[in-house]
Amino acid sequence: MRVFFDRMRGVGAVALTVGAYLSAYAQGTVPPPAPASSQAPVVIGVDLARIVGPYKPIYSWFGYDEANYTTMRHGTELLKELHDLSPAPVYIRAHHLLTSGDGVAELKFSSTNVYSEDADGKPVYDFKIFDGIFDAYKAAGVRPMVELGFMPKDLAADLPNRHEPYQVHYPKSTISGKSNNPPKDYAKWGELARVVTAHLVERYGKETVLQWYFEVWNEPDIDYWHTTPEEYWKLYDYAVAGVRAALPGARVGGPASTSPGNPKAYGFLKNFLDHVDTGKSAANGKALPMDFISFHAKGFPTIKEGKVTMGLNREMKDADQGFDLISKYPKFRNLPIIISEADPEGCAACSSKVNPANNYRNGTLYPAYTAAAFKGLFELQDRHKVNLLSMLSWSFEFEDKDYFEGFRSLATNGVDKPVLNVFRMFALMSGNRVMTTSSGQVPLDTLLSTGVRENADVDALATMGDREAAVLAWNYHDVDGAAEATSVNVAIAGIPSNVHRVLLEHYRLDDTHSNAYTIWKGMGSPQHPTTEQYAQLKAAGQLELFSSPEWVDVEHGQVRLTTELPRQSVSLLHLKW
């Protein structure tokens, strides 16, 4: 049975927005529909009977610099949406949970003012702002990944080579101030970790907090930490001792270091693992606990010859090098790995006004990149036989900024951006990953060495669950720009022999589906949309079906489907029986 989907056909929110799309097309603010492919179709094969490995919800982790956005209007809305997109628990990581200040967020800085000292140097704790953040997590049903950072003002040491004030405002280097200094007293730092953990246990319950993760600091191998690696080991030792004193079974780990593809960062991660593997705690002389290992993996987009050009190979290399290193430690190779920032580049708060290449974050390039990276991370995990738990997307939302300003965010002024819909697709997959083949696939080793710079990566990831299967397919290229759509023939084999028909739901993310950015441009890019326009944008930001659900005949345990994938698009073929 062959089923053909017209790539301009859609349902749901599209009915509200076709006029806006046509207006945008007429104005030249969006590309015309890609012409049909003149090349031979790409053939994707899926064998539901051949299990590759478990499908883990590595997608259900998100983070951001500005912790105080959590309790603002669109922050609380987005937290609920993140909870609702996934059947698995959603984890949230935020910077500045211990930073001093008035609790007013600004770009790349935030504060809770949880710790200060009185005139005699005795600690004073104030959990009002801190509790507001964690109460918002509880209300939304998401779980915190508690990042212990940064240094409270009254606890920050003075350093002879550092003369910056406590807070440095963006666009200057916000990590250059005393908020990133070491503590003047490590015992007080350890006690801060203990008191904060004890407070969380008292407020939310022991069994609840045992489900969370406690990560020590952020990127201590660069200027987020203003002293030596050895001093970070000490920071880690005292922090985990404090956390475990309050909650013996707490999940603790680190070091949240930067890209292991960089030799210096690789060395930092290795030396940290050596410290935990063979060292004794500076806090109590005992063996060092570590329940997970975290590091970051980042791409590197630029503009070349006038076109945004992504750096997928950089992110893949970071993961490859990090996984390879961890696999060399028998004690650690089975520990969960949290890539606590996994992104196309490094600065969420740098909008396209700062870096024009960052405009890729508004449209379909970002989600297509994310789909390709998603499969690549699973394949690298399998290659190195390690335990990947999370590819945390460092993206949330920015309050009181222009619509589609080009921040790395999931929503803009309450309107979901296309990238959020690829995470919704990931969450519709379940069970086990199964074997896929594609005549249009860019091999993993090529992704590692050069990325996707020649032929497009037209590939798929598939899962088999309980009476259902899902095939995620994408047409991705590092270099953005117009291209022919690609015809794709999908053969899904291994359907149980007693199943004769399946219900097919085809979800699509492209210029005309699941894409509020196209609609916004078609409206004339309003910064003050009308009530009707805002309702259309909200609807267009949701994940859309490409066509009506339909029952498809199964022949000899197989279903055959045909579609066209425009460049930088993603489809999810969801089968139920």
Side-chain angles (χ1 to χ4, degrees), residues 42 44 312 364-365 367-379 422 425-426 429 436 438 440-442 447 452 456-462 471-477 486-488 490 506-509 563-573:
V42 166
I44 292 176
L312 178 61
T364 58
L365 179 56
Y369 173 104
T370 303
F374 188 58
K375 181 179 183 181
L377 291 174
F378 272 123
E379 289 185 325
V422 81
M425 288 180 172
F426 296 160
M429 307 176 77
T436 61
S438 174
Q441 176 191 26
V442 174
L447 293 182
V452 185
D457 182 41
V458 183
D459 199 9
L461 176 71
V471 181
L472 185 81
W474 57 88
N475 180 350
Y476 169 73
H477 202 286
T486 299
S487 294
V488 179
V490 183
H506 182 175
Y507 297 91
R508 170 60 67 80
L509 196 167
T563 189
E564 284 197 344
L565 282 174
R567 180 65 58 83
Q568 318 299 20
S569 70
V570 187
S571 270
L572 181 72
L573 306 172

Side-chain angles (χ1 to χ4, degrees), residues 63-77:
Y64 44 102
D65 289 73
E66 301 81 3
N68 299 119
Y69 285 163
T70 305
T71 55
M72 296 183 75
R73 173 190 171 191
H74 296 306
T76 57
E77 289 176 357

Side-chain angles (χ1 to χ4, degrees), residues 144-349:
M145 181 181 184
V146 184
E147 181 196 299
L148 297 172
F150 297 115
M151 197 58 61
K153 185 175 183 179
D154 289 351
L155 191 53
D158 291 317
L159 297 177
N161 61 334
R162 292 278 183 171
H163 306 289
E164 293 84 358
Y166 180 74
Q167 179 183 357
V168 177
H169 300 273
Y170 183 81
K172 293 182 179 179
S173 174
T174 59
I175 60 175
S176 63
K178 286 184 67 176
S179 58
N180 293 89
N181 282 10
K184 63 184 181 184
D185 184 325
Y186 278 92
K188 285 185 174 180
W189 164 255
E191 178 65 2
L192 169 60
R194 188 198 67 79
V195 170
V196 166
T197 306
H199 176 80
L200 292 170
V201 171
E202 181 182 8
R203 190 172 183 85
Y204 303 105
K206 175 182 175 182
E207 296 307 314
T208 294
V209 182
L210 284 171
Q211 298 173 325
W212 302 354
Y213 294 82
F214 290 79
E215 184 183 44
V216 181
W217 214 255
N218 176 70
E219 298 185 345
D221 56 312
I222 61 172
D223 208 37
Y224 272 98
W225 179 243
H226 292 166
T227 185
T228 65
E230 291 73 22
E231 289 294 303
Y232 172 75
W233 314 157
K234 192 174 179 181
L235 185 86
Y236 178 87
D237 296 355
Y238 276 87
V240 298
V243 171
R244 284 289 186 87
L247 185 62
R251 298 166 175 171
V252 295
S257 51
T258 61
S259 305
N262 177 290
K264 181 181 177 182
Y266 181 95
F268 184 98
L269 179 58
K270 180 181 185 304
N271 292 336
F272 171 76
L273 296 177
D274 289 340
H275 169 68
V276 177
D277 190 24
T278 61
K280 297 282 180 72
S281 172
N284 55 30
K286 298 179 180 180
L288 287 158
M290 184 171 66
D291 301 296
F292 65 90
I293 302 166
S294 62
F295 64 85
H296 298 168
K298 302 283 187 175
F300 188 72
T302 60
I303 292 181
K304 295 183 178 179
E305 299 178 356
K307 295 181 179 179
V308 174
T309 303
M310 305 298 285
L312 178 61
N313 61 310
R314 296 275 289 267
E315 184 176 341
M316 293 296 99
K317 182 180 178 183
D318 286 341
D320 182 55
Q321 292 292 300
F323 293 171
D324 181 65
L325 174 60
I326 292 165
S327 73
K328 299 180 189 305
Y329 290 81
K331 188 191 296 186
F332 301 149
R333 68 175 306 144
N334 294 321
L335 283 183
I337 297 171
I338 296 177
I339 305 181
S340 54
E341 294 182 26
D343 302 295
E345 30 62 38
C347 181

Side-chain angles (χ1 to χ4, degrees), residues 52-54 323 375-386 433:
V52 173
F323 293 171
K375 181 179 183 181
L377 291 174
F378 272 123
E379 289 185 325
L380 288 169
Q381 171 207 247
D382 296 345
R383 174 177 287 187
H384 293 290
K385 297 181 174 60
V386 294
R433 290 176 289 123

Side-chain angles (χ1 to χ4, degrees), residues 3 46 49 71 84 100-101 137 189 255 270 313 316 322-323 341 380 386 414 418 432 451 467 506 530 536 551 553:
V3 180
V46 178
T71 55
D84 293 347
S100 300
Y137 293 152
W189 164 255
K270 180 181 185 304
N313 61 310
M316 293 296 99
F323 293 171
E341 294 182 26
L380 288 169
V386 294
N432 288 310
R467 302 181 64 85
H506 182 175
T530 65
Q536 289 185 348
W551 289 94
D553 291 336

Side-chain angles (χ1 to χ4, degrees), residues 8 13-31 511-513 515-526 532-537 540 544:
M8 288 304 295
V14 173
L16 297 172
T17 55
V18 168
Y21 173 79
L22 294 175
S23 174
Y25 173 38
Q27 296 172 43
T29 55
V30 297
D511 278 334
T512 60
H513 300 87
N515 191 335
Y517 182 51
T518 294
I519 305 308
W520 177 75
K521 290 192 293 183
M523 294 173 175
S525 306
E532 181 181 1
Q533 286 176 324
Y534 190 76
Q536 289 185 348
L537 291 171
E544 295 178 25

